[in-house]
Amino acid sequence: MFRTNATSSISLIMIFLISTDLSILLDIPVFRQILGFIFLVVVPGVLFLSILKPDKLGLTEKLVLSVGLSISFVMFIGILINSLYPLFGYETPLSLKSLVVSLTFALLILAFIAHLSGGFAFFAERTDLRFDTRDKALVVIPILSLPLSVLGMHIMNTIDNNAMLMALLFLILVYVILISIWHNHIPENAYPTIIFLFSISLILLWGMRSSHIIGTDAHVEYMFFKQTYLNEKWQILQNSTLDSCLSVSILPTTYQSFLNVNPEYLFKILYPLLFSISPLVVYLITKNYISNTYAFLAAIFFMSQDFFIITTASARTNVAILFFALSIMVLLHSEISDLNKKVLFIVFILSCIFSHYSTTYISFIVFLITWVCMQLIYRLILYLRRSDVKKVSLKDVRNIIDFTTQSVASRFSKPYFSKGILAIFFVVLFFWYSQVTGVAFNRGIGFIAETINSMQNFFIMESRDSGISAALGQGLGEKPLLSKIIFVISWLPNIFIIIGVVTTLARYCQRVALPYENRSGSPDFLSNEIDAIFFILSLICLIILVATVAIPYVVHGYDLGRILLQMMVVLSTFLIIGGLELARFLHIKRSYLLILAVIIPYFILTTGMLQSIAGNPTTIALDSHGPSYDSFYIHEQEIEACKWLGEKNEIGKKIYADFRGKSRLISQGMIPFRYIGDLDDFLQRNKDLNGYIYLRYFNVLERNVSASPSNEFLESIQYKDRLSMEGKIYENGGSVIFEGRAVSRL
């Protein structure tokens, strides 16, 4: 909504809603997809913000908040009607007509509230979208990155040539370098556009690879979505932790009902598009404290994270991380009123609860410890400052006490970040995970118990995940040069982050210890002094990362990449601060060069460019061979075999597949977990087969099986020599299925 007449705004909303509903109900191609996308992803958040009237926010802040609020709106309305409609005898609350009518009615209510409150006049100015010639020139290359990404991946999928994709990645790097060098000539409003376009271009690479689901968790998430969509109702499906994740059940069901697209592309394309605003959120957080150029580099570093690039592989986690990032942004933004902060913060933490359990637990721990630390520091500073009163004349005592109390209270006692809000967070978390869905809460308790038990093995390196041991450099001396280069590149950002947090801590301690009249100012590279909440958040996030590596069981129970991406929402800023502090210490005038020396190699590493050039591929986006490709790429023959088996399978019979084959059976054959067994375990037990064996493309061609999530292949298992060919019931050149009395032989 632009700043215009309120009456005309409500009229436009009415016309838009009617047009969208007609295009959906009449199934008008293109119009249904475009209008439906705007209806679900933009309009609810715009209306909600119009009610809150955040006129002091910039357009970028309003847009990212609108997208976040729109996602929340869809989940909240979905679970509301799913709970209420059956009470009145309507058993398909998530059917197309039900969703269209319910969401349209809800948007009409929001529109009329915004109209009555005069909120339409507060969303945006027309001047916000005006670009001069220089601004347009700056976004030409970022705009070109989108067709390069799409065309390059099409070429990769068809003729297996990654030249255009490599050119795209190098183009992004060159452009980032040029922006840094010419930062004095870059207007502020160009940065968000550049970040967003590069983010989409990068995050879609995995999503556009092949025509089918990519990843491990994505297959299970897809099955939960399909079952919810077909049932037209959300319910506890398999007593799984995913039952609690509305982000992969109600959310995609609503999108699919409105958009009517290939359902696999909801997970391959739509979720990456939604998450592509997260680097913008990091940019906005960082921009509170340092210049636009360095905030831009923080956003580039965030989108260089492994788990950002593979968003399509784990939709629920990254939706929750987006809500975590938005809650941090709201918490720290100085232009949002206290009341609006409370409302937005509550909305986003509740949305995180409904999106992903593990991300929510980490978020709750971060916010809880932050609040406790704030209270302790607040009382400690008051005590120290009051003790300073003894050193001054009596007439100044009252002034010092008043000044100290007000100043410290303003830093550490935030009304929008209170124990009341944390209580709401915990109560909803407990109710949803424990009383409604059950498994997620029990799993969380079990994880804590296992973590505590693992502490007895704290000093035993072998008790940790093999990936952690490798990350810590175990056996590095015996590895080739490429591994040593990767080790150094991987650790440099962590070193800069530690420097950033530690130097900031030193400054805070210095300010606490000195009398007020001798208080030093902020470093010259900070546009604003680091907020107390933000600093404590950074300290807690860094401690969590260290604990993840140090405590033996943690990475066994939860992927390090997910924790890393969530913590980088906060810590990306401190990588920049660490680089600036180090540059100042080394007397490097062009500080951005030192920061680029860390970010660019890291980007080359995480995108897989370095490994692809070195002939040791690690990503399916750039190569059609290697462990990643063998594990995640799905061939058409595998799809056909899974669907055939899904239709044929008799209830109660087990289907044995290797680790990666299981995911294909789940998403493409829609076969529940309880009917799928481990192929490696079956072959080693040497028992008669009472069910089926499913061999995927990799098993058939390479004659070995994937035995774990870490892509460990058991080359010694020549299973074709162990199976009687008499039991083969299906073969299509890329997949084989055995049934019944096929006997494994040792």
Side-chain angles (χ1 to χ4, degrees), residues 282-329:
V282 172
Y283 167 79
L284 293 170
I285 291 172
T286 307
K287 193 167 71 76
N288 288 329
Y289 308 104
I290 54 182
S291 68
N292 296 315
T293 303
Y294 291 116
F296 168 75
L297 292 178
I300 296 297
F301 173 69
F302 181 80
M303 69 175 75
S304 301
Q305 301 302 310
D306 281 315
F307 216 77
F308 175 87
I309 297 170
I310 63 170
T311 291
T312 186
S314 187
R316 71 189 191 277
T317 302
N318 285 13
V319 169
I321 291 175
L322 175 60
F323 286 126
F324 174 76
L326 287 169
S327 65
I328 296 290
M329 189 194 92

Side-chain angles (χ1 to χ4, degrees), residues 98-325:
S98 172
L99 286 170
V100 169
V101 171
S102 302
L103 289 171
T104 300
F105 181 70
L107 289 184
L108 281 173
I109 293 175
L110 289 179
F112 277 109
I113 294 174
H115 171 66
L116 294 175
S117 64
F120 286 130
F122 289 88
F123 191 75
E125 297 279 3
R126 285 188 175 89
T127 55
D128 289 333
L129 294 181
R130 289 179 183 172
F131 288 84
D132 58 25
T133 303
R134 182 176 60 174
D135 295 342
K136 293 175 183 177
L138 283 170
V139 299
V140 168
I141 291 180
I143 289 174
L144 287 176
S145 68
L146 286 175
L148 281 176
S149 179
V150 175
L151 181 59
M153 189 51 71
H154 175 72
I155 294 173
M156 184 67 195
N157 286 330
T158 52
I159 63 174
D160 195 21
N161 187 316
N162 68 5
M164 185 171 289
L165 295 177
M166 294 290 281
L168 166 66
L169 297 173
F170 275 115
L171 179 65
I172 292 175
L173 288 177
V174 171
Y175 201 74
V176 169
I177 294 171
L178 293 177
I179 289 289
S180 302
I181 294 173
W182 295 333
H183 62 274
N184 290 329
H185 306 286
I186 308 298
E188 180 179 350
N189 62 347
Y191 285 109
T193 306
I194 296 170
I195 291 169
F196 183 58
L197 291 171
F198 280 161
S199 176
I200 293 177
S201 302
L202 187 61
I203 204 171
L204 284 180
L205 293 182
W206 264 63
M208 292 185 295
R209 189 68 160 110
S210 87
S211 301
H212 300 289
I213 296 294
I214 290 177
T216 302
D217 291 351
H219 291 275
V220 186
E221 294 168 348
Y222 182 74
M223 184 193 69
F224 271 79
F225 146 66
K226 284 295 294 287
Q227 291 191 343
T228 304
Y229 179 72
L230 294 173
N231 294 336
E232 298 183 332
K233 180 181 181 179
W234 175 85
Q235 55 192 332
I236 304 298
L237 293 173
Q238 299 187 20
N239 288 319
S240 164
T241 51
L242 268 70
D243 286 317
S244 64
C245 301
L246 303 185
S247 56
V248 292
S249 53
I250 287 180
L251 187 65
T253 294
T254 306
Y255 286 144
Q256 180 60 20
S257 297
F258 272 65
L259 304 179
N260 191 31
V261 295
N262 181 340
E264 289 193 71
Y265 277 86
L266 288 177
F267 286 80
K268 291 171 59 62
I269 303 297
L270 183 60
Y271 279 101
L273 282 175
L274 296 178
F275 193 63
S276 63
I277 68 167
S278 58
L280 276 177
V281 180
V282 172
Y283 167 79
L284 293 170
I285 291 172
T286 307
K287 193 167 71 76
N288 288 329
Y289 308 104
I290 54 182
S291 68
N292 296 315
T293 303
Y294 291 116
F296 168 75
L297 292 178
I300 296 297
F301 173 69
F302 181 80
M303 69 175 75
S304 301
Q305 301 302 310
D306 281 315
F307 216 77
F308 175 87
I309 297 170
I310 63 170
T311 291
T312 186
S314 187
R316 71 189 191 277
T317 302
N318 285 13
V319 169
I321 291 175
L322 175 60
F323 286 126
F324 174 76

Side-chain angles (χ1 to χ4, degrees), residues 440-648:
F441 190 81
N442 295 335
R443 187 71 60 83
I445 297 298
F447 178 82
I448 293 172
E450 290 290 342
T451 300
I452 294 173
N453 290 334
S454 72
M455 292 300 292
Q456 61 185 332
N457 300 321
F458 184 83
F459 296 102
I460 302 175
M461 182 61 71
E462 290 73 16
S463 65
R464 290 168 173 80
D465 185 85
S466 58
I468 291 294
S469 300
L472 293 175
Q474 188 177 33
L476 186 64
E478 303 172 358
K479 294 182 179 179
L481 178 62
L482 179 62
S483 297
K484 296 174 182 176
I485 293 173
I486 290 174
F487 177 80
V488 173
I489 293 174
S490 300
W491 272 98
L492 273 177
N494 299 324
I495 293 171
F496 274 51
I497 289 169
I498 292 170
I499 292 173
V501 174
V502 170
T503 53
T504 305
L505 174 62
R507 292 183 183 282
Y508 264 95
C509 290
Q510 185 185 45
R511 287 169 190 162
V512 170
L514 290 175
Y516 280 101
E517 59 270 18
N518 295 327
R519 200 175 182 189
S520 60
S522 301
D524 52 9
F525 57 76
L526 291 180
S527 56
N528 288 306
E529 198 173 83
I530 298 292
D531 188 274
I533 294 181
F534 189 43
F535 168 66
I536 296 173
L537 281 170
S538 71
L539 204 55
I540 301 305
C541 289
L542 183 59
I543 291 171
I544 287 176
L545 276 185
V546 172
T548 300
V549 175
I551 300 175
Y553 180 74
V554 174
V555 177
H556 287 289
Y558 193 58
D559 187 359
L560 176 61
R562 305 185 195 202
I563 299 177
L564 187 64
L565 184 63
Q566 185 176 357
M567 298 301 99
M568 286 305 154
V569 169
V570 173
L571 294 178
S572 293
T573 304
F574 286 87
L575 175 133
I576 305 300
I577 293 175
L580 293 170
E581 290 279 13
L582 190 58
R584 188 168 63 171
F585 177 76
L586 298 174
H587 304 291
I588 299 174
K589 292 183 178 180
R590 297 183 178 182
S591 305
Y592 59 83
L593 293 177
L594 183 61
I595 296 170
L596 287 174
V598 174
I599 293 178
I600 289 177
Y602 190 76
F603 181 91
I604 293 173
L605 173 66
T606 56
T607 54
M609 297 169 65
L610 174 63
Q611 298 90 326
S612 182
I613 294 171
N616 186 24
T618 58
T619 173
I620 63 171
L622 298 178
D623 296 280
S624 294
H625 59 281
S628 181
Y629 178 82
D630 293 334
S631 296
F632 297 121
Y633 191 89
I634 299 182
H635 299 268
E636 292 299 328
Q637 297 97 320
E638 295 175 315
I639 303 298
E640 294 170 5
C642 287
K643 290 181 177 179
W644 184 86
L645 188 54
E647 295 173 358
K648 178 180 176 58

Side-chain angles (χ1 to χ4, degrees), residues 283-515:
Y283 167 79
L284 293 170
I285 291 172
T286 307
K287 193 167 71 76
N288 288 329
Y289 308 104
I290 54 182
S291 68
N292 296 315
T293 303
Y294 291 116
F296 168 75
L297 292 178
I300 296 297
F301 173 69
F302 181 80
M303 69 175 75
S304 301
Q305 301 302 310
D306 281 315
F307 216 77
F308 175 87
I309 297 170
I310 63 170
T311 291
T312 186
S314 187
R316 71 189 191 277
T317 302
N318 285 13
V319 169
I321 291 175
L322 175 60
F323 286 126
F324 174 76
L326 287 169
S327 65
I328 296 290
M329 189 194 92
V330 167
L331 199 62
L332 300 174
H333 207 293
S334 60
E335 297 299 328
I336 302 178
S337 66
D338 287 352
L339 177 60
N340 285 347
K341 280 191 178 187
K342 283 183 179 180
V343 173
L344 292 171
F345 187 71
I346 290 172
V347 168
F348 291 137
I349 60 175
L350 296 185
S351 301
C352 188
I353 291 172
F354 291 130
S355 297
H356 184 223
Y357 43 92
S358 297
T359 306
T360 297
Y361 289 142
I362 295 172
S363 301
F364 180 74
I365 291 171
V366 168
F367 290 135
L368 177 63
I369 297 177
T370 299
W371 179 81
V372 171
C373 289
M374 286 173 60
Q375 299 304 309
L376 292 175
I377 295 173
Y378 169 60
R379 286 161 176 75
L380 176 61
I381 292 177
L382 280 181
Y383 171 78
L384 293 174
R385 291 308 181 195
R386 288 176 185 275
S387 66
D388 287 343
V389 170
K390 300 175 183 178
K391 303 176 184 179
V392 299
S393 59
L394 258 166
K395 63 180 181 180
D396 293 327
V397 169
R398 194 66 215 160
N399 291 334
I400 290 178
I401 292 175
D402 290 343
F403 178 79
T404 301
T405 304
Q406 293 171 10
S407 176
V408 176
S410 66
R411 287 169 174 269
F412 293 93
S413 183
K414 304 292 185 181
Y416 47 82
F417 189 51
S418 63
K419 58 185 177 183
I421 290 180
L422 288 174
I424 293 173
F425 194 171
F426 178 76
V427 168
V428 177
L429 179 155
F430 177 80
F431 177 76
W432 181 249
Y433 292 151
S434 176
Q435 304 304 306
V436 178
T437 56
V439 178
F441 190 81
N442 295 335
R443 187 71 60 83
I445 297 298
F447 178 82
I448 293 172
E450 290 290 342
T451 300
I452 294 173
N453 290 334
S454 72
M455 292 300 292
Q456 61 185 332
N457 300 321
F458 184 83
F459 296 102
I460 302 175
M461 182 61 71
E462 290 73 16
S463 65
R464 290 168 173 80
D465 185 85
S466 58
I468 291 294
S469 300
L472 293 175
Q474 188 177 33
L476 186 64
E478 303 172 358
K479 294 182 179 179
L481 178 62
L482 179 62
S483 297
K484 296 174 182 176
I485 293 173
I486 290 174
F487 177 80
V488 173
I489 293 174
S490 300
W491 272 98
L492 273 177
N494 299 324
I495 293 171
F496 274 51
I497 289 169
I498 292 170
I499 292 173
V501 174
V502 170
T503 53
T504 305
L505 174 62
R507 292 183 183 282
Y508 264 95
C509 290
Q510 185 185 45
R511 287 169 190 162
V512 170
L514 290 175

